[in-house]
Amino acid sequence: MAGVEDKEIKTRELTINMGPQHPATHGVLRVVLELDGETVLKCTPYVGYLHRGTEKLGENRTYLQALPLTDRLDYISSMCNNIGYCVATEKLFGVEVPERAKYIRTIMAELTRISSHMIGVATHILDIGATTPFLYMFREREWIMDLFEMTCGARLTVSYPRIGGVRNDVSQEFIDSVYEFTEQFPKRIEEYETLIDENRIWLQRTKGIGVISAEEAINWGLTGPTLRGSGVSYDLRKFAPYDAYDKVEFDVPIGKNGDVYDRYKCRMEELRQSNRIIKQCVEQLPRGPVMAPDAPRYTLPPKDRILQDMESMIRQFVLITKGPLAAPEGELYVATEAPKGELGYYFVSDGTGRPYRMRLRSPSFVHVSLLPKLCEGAMIADVIANIGTIDIVLGEVDR
Amino acid sequence: MEPKLLSEAIAQAISERFPDEVKEIREFRGQVSVTVRKERVKEILTYLRSTPQFSFNHLQDVTGVDYLGRKALRFEVVYHLFSISHRHSIRIKAEVGQDDPSIDSVVDIWQGANWPERECYDLMGIRFNGHPDLRRVLLPEDWEGHPLRKDYPLKSDLGERDWKGFKEVVATAQRNRQYEIREVQ
């Protein structure tokens, strides 16, 4: 050993490139890390690998045609993106949505939130080293995907909500299955928590890591569970209720310490609250139409009507070729609570059938910008925990 | 909870405090937007952030709009402000001319403005003075032009085969052909 002590050990800072192809970056995120041993000195995230120019595309399409583009933003919660788009355009057009459609949308949005939070938490835990919860959570997620498939035929890119309502009514089979889900799901959440909550490795890797105070969190523009983990009760479902959120009871869970563990706790608690909302919606689900009466000017008629009815065919032809009726001139910003945070749509309408400017405010984009603050000064292993905790989807970051 | 103010009242307060700066106040579907000159926009936003009765602590969004040929000053930088403690909101729009598309950065008021401002620079070509790290964010660093401007074409005049990037890919593929493993007959 004496020989080693005599030698002078040279150390130097090391720059490593993490991503864009890395299993723990949840997509194509590239992070350049400057390291001194295991301590991160500087962290620079690079995004844009999935940039498809959604805003530019939206400006060159009619209000109808831009709806499927929103599926591709946060592709694991496409239902919420669609709903956000529809709520914004309905406010622009001044369309009143029927009650039944509002309830169906709320059920769909909360199912999406459950599925999104489960993917977020499951992959987060998987990154840190626990494989089992991932498999358990994907079992329930599969159920939700089946429910979507039952209603609209698609599992991921749904495009189910429409301007003025939803595309088709839900079946009795769907309602029964959703109710069965709400009955069973609380037990399943307990099952996950027995696997995770008291795991010593999980606690050591998450408690006191990536701490951000309430003041800072607001200043950095954080939203959703990432903000609520720091103890700020900002939830657009309560602040600016849309759809049927003002008719159901639910709590907004908040954290205390603002660390990785509290944000995880918030998401788990939100699963319970979402389940509560779905159950109330199924119980209260009113009868009636699922499309607004004046919506024919904005949405396509059902396919079977097009094939049989002349009027419907003409309507479809006009809508496809000319686009929907001109929107009133003006501008508005409408934000909804997507699973990741505040999803805002800002439309500038010049009185034609196409948006003059369509701006998407995605929560993940702002959250990625927080990464240097969380990682610098921390250990390299915590970078993984920090990427998981802000729960980003790169389709939404890059748009 | 602090009392909620109507957006009209906030707009009124801004125009009383900065009478020379406010150009227009407009209302649409219950949302009020205040158009201001760009020179003192940072001062106005600081006022809105720090005055206790407003305390707009949450900057929802920063973005740009290109009004090519429609308005005298071509661009508008739009700030959406929200107060989490008071639950009121307002939209501030600053007009930016084509000759000098630049405006003061608000990153030192809200850190959350950092990346949205970078995006606005990247896609709309508006420079933010005093921004700590004004680089392109979504597009590659060597990209030419700003795609969200209205004079930026949606589709290039060049065909796919004439595009520089396509030619590079073909050249690389041809160069790599020498490393191909051929089966021995």
Side-chain angles (χ1 to χ4, degrees), chain B residues 26-180:
Chain B
R26 266 201 165 181
E27 198 257 336
F28 180 71
R29 300 256 190 259
Q31 299 187 358
V32 177
S33 40
V34 182
T35 312
V36 298
R37 285 176 223 284
K38 73 166 186 178
E39 282 77 17
R40 286 173 68 194
V41 68
K42 196 174 171 183
E43 209 175 312
I44 297 169
L45 292 171
T46 314
Y47 167 68
L48 289 172
R49 169 75 184 83
S50 53
T51 312
Q53 78 215 58
F54 304 135
S55 63
F56 282 104
N57 49 4
H58 177 43
L59 178 69
Q60 289 178 306
D61 194 22
V62 182
T63 188
V65 187
D66 178 8
Y67 291 100
L68 178 65
R70 292 180 184 230
K71 292 196 177 176
L73 291 167
R74 182 173 167 184
F75 300 104
E76 260 177 16
V77 177
V78 187
Y79 302 88
H80 289 101
L81 310 183
F82 187 81
S83 165
I84 291 178
S85 46
H86 297 54
R87 303 197 181 191
H88 50 222
S89 61
I90 198 150
R91 180 187 302 120
I92 305 288
K93 305 199 290 179
E95 292 188 321
V96 176
Q98 186 176 0
D99 307 325
D100 175 30
S102 68
I103 192 166
D104 287 339
S105 166
V106 294
V107 176
D108 30 338
I109 313 175
W110 297 280
Q111 287 287 340
N114 190 326
W115 277 38
E117 281 186 355
R118 272 177 74 185
E119 189 194 345
C120 188
Y121 162 72
D122 188 0
L123 302 180
M124 198 65 88
I126 297 166
R127 273 177 286 102
F128 288 87
N129 303 326
H131 190 286
D133 184 25
L134 198 64
R135 286 179 293 129
R136 282 189 186 271
V137 58
L138 291 175
L139 301 176
E141 277 163 28
D142 56 351
W143 192 269
E144 287 166 22
H146 303 284
L148 275 182
R149 289 190 172 185
K150 289 286 172 187
D151 51 4
Y152 193 93
L154 194 61
K155 197 180 169 192
S156 163
D157 299 338
L158 295 170
E160 191 184 69
R161 292 180 170 279
D162 300 320
W163 178 51
K164 194 177 75 185
F166 184 76
K167 284 180 180 168
E168 278 169 19
V169 170
V170 171
T172 319
Q174 274 169 358
R175 209 168 50 245
N176 288 348
R177 200 159 282 171
Q178 57 176 309
Y179 304 115
E180 256 177 39

Side-chain angles (χ1 to χ4, degrees), chain A residues 102-121:
Chain A
K102 282 187 177 177
Y103 275 88
I104 293 173
R105 278 192 196 176
T106 313
I107 293 172
M108 292 301 184
E110 293 310 309
L111 284 173
T112 310
R113 194 179 316 277
I114 289 177
S115 120
S116 169
H117 279 357
M118 282 203 296
I119 290 189
V121 171

